[in-house]
Amino acid sequence: MQELYTKYRPKTFKKIVGQDSAVRMLAQMVKRNKVPHTLLFSGPPGCGKTTLARILRKKLNCGKYDFSEVNCADFRGIDMVRDIRSHLQQAPISGDCRVWLIDEAHKLSNDAQNAFLKMLEDTPNHVYFFLATTNPQKLLKTIRTRCTEVVVKSLGDKNMEELIDDVIVGEK
C-alpha cells in the first residue's frame, strides 16, 4: 500500500497548494529560460520544498538517470561532495541537464560546505544544484549568497483543509 503523502504529492506546479509566490517565481524562471544553476529552497518542515525542486527538475527536462537526491541527514561529509564533483563534467544521459537535490542541506559539515562552495563557483552549464533546508542560517553565508532563494511558507488552515478534503475524496 502506498503512503498517502507520496500518493497525493503534487506532480505539477498547478497542483501545488498555498505556495503561489514560489510557484510563480519558478514558473517565470522556466518560461524565460533563466533558471539559476543554484537554488535554495527554504521553509519549515513539510511545506513543499523538496516537491517544488522535484517538479522543477522535470520542467528542466532532467531525466531520471541524471537526477540525484542526497539527504544530508544521512550523507553530510566531504566524501559526498567529492562524489558529486567526480560526476560534474559528465554529460546528461536521459535529458538536457543533470540535477542534484541536496535535501537537509543545513546538515552538511563545515568541510563539506567549503568543498561544495567551489562547485557552486564553477558549475557547468548542464548542472543544477537545488538545496532544500529548514534552517538556511546554518549554511555558510558564502553559499547562501551564491544561491537564488525560493522561500516556501507554512500552509494555512484553509489550505490544509483543502488538501485533507482532496485525500478524503480520493480515498472514498
Side-chain angles (χ1 to χ4, degrees):
M1 182 173 169
Q2 186 179 19
E3 284 101 2
L4 294 177
Y5 76 94
T6 56
K7 184 175 182 179
Y8 291 95
R9 176 174 274 154
K11 305 273 189 279
T12 66
F13 285 147
K14 288 180 182 178
K15 296 283 185 178
I16 296 286
V17 173
Q19 303 298 342
D20 296 343
S21 61
V23 168
R24 193 171 29 259
M25 176 185 182
L26 294 169
Q28 284 297 318
M29 288 176 182
V30 171
K31 183 179 179 182
R32 294 180 179 147
N33 200 25
K34 296 211 181 235
V35 178
H37 287 269
T38 307
L39 288 168
L40 175 62
F41 293 84
S42 67
C47 62
K49 299 176 297 292
T50 303
T51 298
L52 283 168
R54 289 175 180 162
I55 293 169
L56 181 59
R57 78 104 172 160
K58 288 182 180 177
K59 291 279 189 185
L60 292 172
N61 194 30
C62 173
K64 66 179 182 176
Y65 298 113
D66 298 315
F67 177 67
S68 298
E69 189 170 333
V70 179
N71 186 336
C72 292
D74 298 322
F75 303 100
R76 66 185 95 201
I78 195 165
D79 288 337
M80 182 270 298
V81 176
R82 287 179 180 145
D83 183 57
I84 292 172
R85 185 181 298 143
S86 73
H87 294 91
L88 272 186
Q89 298 304 323
Q90 293 175 349
I93 297 169
S94 60
D96 294 337
C97 62
R98 298 184 65 118
V99 172
W100 274 272
L101 171 54
I102 312 298
D103 207 0
E104 303 290 338
H106 63 278
K107 294 186 179 183
L108 283 168
S109 71
N110 197 50
D111 287 341
Q113 287 189 49
N114 279 305
F116 197 69
L117 182 61
K118 182 64 178 156
M119 287 192 300
L120 298 181
E121 292 171 347
D122 300 322
T123 305
N125 285 336
H126 67 281
V127 171
Y128 293 87
F129 291 109
F130 300 160
L131 287 71
T133 181
T134 56
N135 197 343
Q137 294 76 23
K138 287 193 175 180
L139 290 170
L140 295 174
K141 184 177 182 180
T142 48
I143 287 179
R144 292 192 320 263
T145 60
R146 285 164 176 79
C147 297
T148 299
E149 188 169 10
V150 179
V151 178
V152 186
K153 306 175 294 184
S154 291
L155 294 179
D157 291 343
K158 184 179 180 204
N159 293 135
M160 289 298 287
E161 288 173 13
E162 183 181 329
L163 290 171
I164 291 169
D165 287 345
D166 287 348
V167 172
I168 289 170
V169 168
E171 293 298 305
K172 298 179 179 123

